[in-house]
Amino acid sequence: MTIRRVAVAGAGIVGLSTAWFLQDRGVAVTVVDRTGVATDATDPTGRERASWGNAGWLAPALTLPLPEPSVLKYGLRAMFDPSSPVYVPPTLDPKLIRFLADFARHCTTRHQMAALEAFAQVNRVALGAYDDLADGGVAEQTRDADPFLAAFTAETDRDRLLEEFDHVQATGGEVDYEVLDAEAVHSLEPLLSDKVRAGVRIRGQRFIDPPRFVASLADAVRARGGEILTGFDVTEVRDPGNGVVDVISTNGDNVSVDAVVLATGAHLNALAHDFGVRTLVQAGRGYSFSVVPDELPKNPVYFPVQRVACTPLHDRFRIAGMMEFRNPDAPLDPRRIRAIVDTTRPLLRDVDWDDRSEAWVGSRPCTADGLPLIGGTRSPRVFVAGGHGMWGVAHGPLTGRLLAGAVTGHTDPVLRHFDPLR
Ligand SMILES: Cc1cc2nc3c(=O)[nH]c(=O)nc-3n(C[C@H](O)[C@H](O)[C@H](O)COP(=O)(O)OP(=O)(O)OC[C@H]3O[C@@H](n4cnc5c(N)ncnc54)[C@H](O)[C@@H]3O)c2cc1C
């Protein structure tokens, strides 16, 4: 089967990366998205995707599957408290109940170790896919995070992160880190307040400015001859078995191609279900906003206990957090932004917390087993790329590279862990 023309549904980091790597393999691409492309920070339609407002960390040391025994313990305690960093609104939604039950079932040490092993294999090569994009002309660069700091108010809080690093190393992952006392951590990041008493410096991590990166990737796809159709809300993908797949929009537009890649983030199930994909993709909604401190930090800061991620974009400091299992289309809940402010305010100095901009909510596309869905479906012409949860930015370009291989008949064995039909 020769694949010359592919449609990619979804212009987030995963869809655009897949389009770019397909082009590398000589395939003509049309990317369709129901909203716009995140060309700049003021484009409200482009913001709807998770790939716009995230923390932008390319941090293999922290890129770990979400279900694990302690998340379950913590989650059950905190779940129904709106100010908690993990929140589930009281619900009778059968899809959400099924997801939570399945998620809980995967919070075992045995599953965690198996998932960590799978992650170790992809984490090792994930940054290399970003280097491919840079070598191939994507203008916006990744930045080295040196230092990449995790900060704690007590030394005892640090032990949990170090324990996670032990698990990573035991399952073949790589983590290069140094434990810091209060003086050392403050000398590396002056913005930290006196409440911070301990830290960890993690080496070999990077980060991006997400809106700029996604816009730059879209530019590169267009410059290589790709078409990006915005305002194209896919309602149906039809494979009648005659060698052509039809991608049909709500207003009746039709793109006919040799194959289609579904990369629709938290909305993946709607289109993938008809092709045998039964794994639920649930929105794990996160929030972010920006502040401009007196002195803009040069590197990310992570507060693991508070589950808050801070990242310097080019001219502002993005603060991100929260995991809210909820309908992806529900409006932004200002209580979550306030909760992030309240928990982070004591930890950073010289920030005017009332002078915030870019308040944003977006959906991490979460699977109950914490593993993404990358590969083929029941139809030989329909492929899936999504479900990356907390780590679609770190794994997006690698996913694109792997899936472009699979679409053109070169399936990497690592994809067995991420089979969309599991
Ligand atoms: C607060 C927060 C912080 C995060 N920080 C990080 C981080 O530091 N590092 C990291 O690796 N990850 C991070 N993530 C996770 C990451 O943002 C996501 O995993 C990733 O962006 C998912 O990318 P995607 O392309 O699959 O989905 P999206 O970016 O959501 O893109 C999906 C696209 O599909 C389109 N679409 C949906 N349905 C249709 C349809 N029917 N027809 C046409 N188009 C459709 C949508 O409009 C959207 O543009 C974070 C997430 C959040 C919320």
Side-chain angles (χ1 to χ4, degrees):
M1 187 166 80
T2 310
I3 303 286
R4 293 201 181 83
R5 184 148 184 249
V6 171
V8 179
I13 185 89
V14 173
L16 288 170
S17 297
T18 305
W20 194 93
F21 280 101
L22 281 166
Q23 291 175 316
D24 238 22
R25 289 181 175 267
V27 175
V29 295
T30 300
V31 181
V32 299
D33 197 289
R34 69 179 185 183
T35 61
V37 172
T39 47
D40 67 56
T42 56
D43 174 2
T45 60
R47 284 183 183 203
E48 285 185 23
R49 64 181 52 108
S51 302
W52 191 88
N54 63 77
W57 293 0
L58 316 180
L62 300 168
T63 301
L64 311 175
L66 181 62
E68 45 117 349
S70 73
V71 164
L72 187 60
K73 253 186 269 161
Y74 173 87
L76 280 180
R77 231 184 318 124
M79 241 164 47
F80 302 108
D81 171 3
S83 66
S84 143
V86 180
Y87 179 64
V88 183
T91 180
L92 293 174
D93 172 2
K95 181 183 166 197
L96 180 54
I97 291 169
R98 201 183 117 206
F99 172 85
L100 292 172
D102 210 16
F103 183 85
R105 205 167 51 77
H106 285 94
C107 288
T108 62
T109 304
R110 194 170 66 84
H111 175 75
Q112 181 194 12
M113 290 304 174
L116 278 169
E117 272 177 32
F119 267 54
Q121 291 175 43
V122 283
N123 283 342
R124 221 172 286 136
V125 288
L127 294 179
Y130 270 94
D131 294 336
D132 290 348
L133 295 178
D135 294 346
V138 175
E140 179 68 16
Q141 302 287 307
T142 64
R143 288 187 273 170
D144 288 333
D146 189 21
F148 190 112
L149 290 180
F152 306 86
T153 56
E155 285 183 10
T156 44
D157 288 340
R158 186 170 54 197
D159 295 344
R160 225 183 79 64
L161 184 66
L162 301 186
E163 210 176 285
E164 266 180 28
F165 288 166
D166 288 345
H167 288 147
V168 170
Q169 285 166 335
T171 48
E174 292 160 13
V175 194
D176 180 4
Y177 69 90
E178 182 190 344
V179 169
L180 305 173
D181 61 18
E183 198 187 337
V185 74
H186 283 282
S187 72
L188 288 169
E189 185 42 76
L191 200 71
L192 294 172
S193 79
D194 291 342
K195 289 257 187 290
V196 172
R197 305 306 302 154
V200 175
R201 175 187 197 150
I202 312 167
R203 295 204 166 80
Q205 317 300 298
R206 298 192 212 170
F207 65 106
I208 55 168
D209 180 325
R212 283 204 195 193
F213 197 90
V214 173
S216 184
L217 186 52
D219 288 345
V221 168
R222 284 198 197 95
R224 285 148 63 108
E227 202 181 6
I228 301 182
L229 306 178
T230 58
F232 192 113
D233 190 351
V234 181
T235 43
E236 194 187 349
V237 172
R238 216 178 277 156
D239 176 11
N242 61 1
V244 174
V245 186
D246 290 312
V247 180
I248 299 158
S249 81
T250 33
N251 44 21
D253 294 332
N254 185 357
V255 175
S256 295
V257 280
D258 301 323
V260 62
V261 175
L262 306 177
T264 48
H267 295 89
L268 199 66
N269 290 133
L271 297 173
H273 185 269
D274 284 352
F275 299 96
V277 177
R278 295 287 176 265
T279 300
L280 291 182
V281 177
Q282 165 64 42
R285 302 194 336 152
Y287 287 73
S288 69
F289 57 87
S290 296
V291 291
V292 183
D294 295 348
E295 184 85 23
L296 188 64
K298 292 193 174 47
N299 293 291
V301 177
Y302 177 32
F303 296 111
V305 172
Q306 293 74 16
R307 293 168 191 258
V308 169
C310 310
T311 308
L313 307 187
H314 283 81
D315 53 2
R316 57 208 191 277
F317 203 39
R318 176 171 280 176
I319 316 279
M322 286 284 157
M323 176 66 90
E324 183 190 50
F325 289 120
R326 195 172 185 182
N327 174 358
D329 298 321
L332 180 148
D333 184 341
R335 291 177 304 175
R336 309 280 176 271
I337 298 276
R338 274 200 300 278
I340 300 177
V341 171
D342 290 347
T343 196
T344 319
R345 189 196 296 266
L347 304 171
L348 295 174
R349 64 169 91 233
D350 299 332
V351 173
D352 180 354
W353 293 96
D354 296 327
D355 188 12
R356 302 188 300 269
S357 58
E358 302 183 319
W360 174 88
V361 62
S363 294
R364 302 175 185 90
C366 296
T367 59
D369 62 8
L371 299 170
L373 305 165
I374 312 167
T377 67
R378 223 162 46 190
S379 157
R381 295 182 182 274
V382 179
F383 296 81
V384 164
H388 294 79
M390 307 212 297
W391 300 116
V393 174
H395 286 164
L398 177 66
T399 296
R401 193 168 80 187
L402 290 168
L403 195 66
V407 171
T408 53
H410 304 92
T411 300
D412 189 301
V414 78
L415 285 180
R416 73 185 183 284
H417 299 295
F418 311 124
D419 183 358
L421 298 178
R422 64 180 179 266

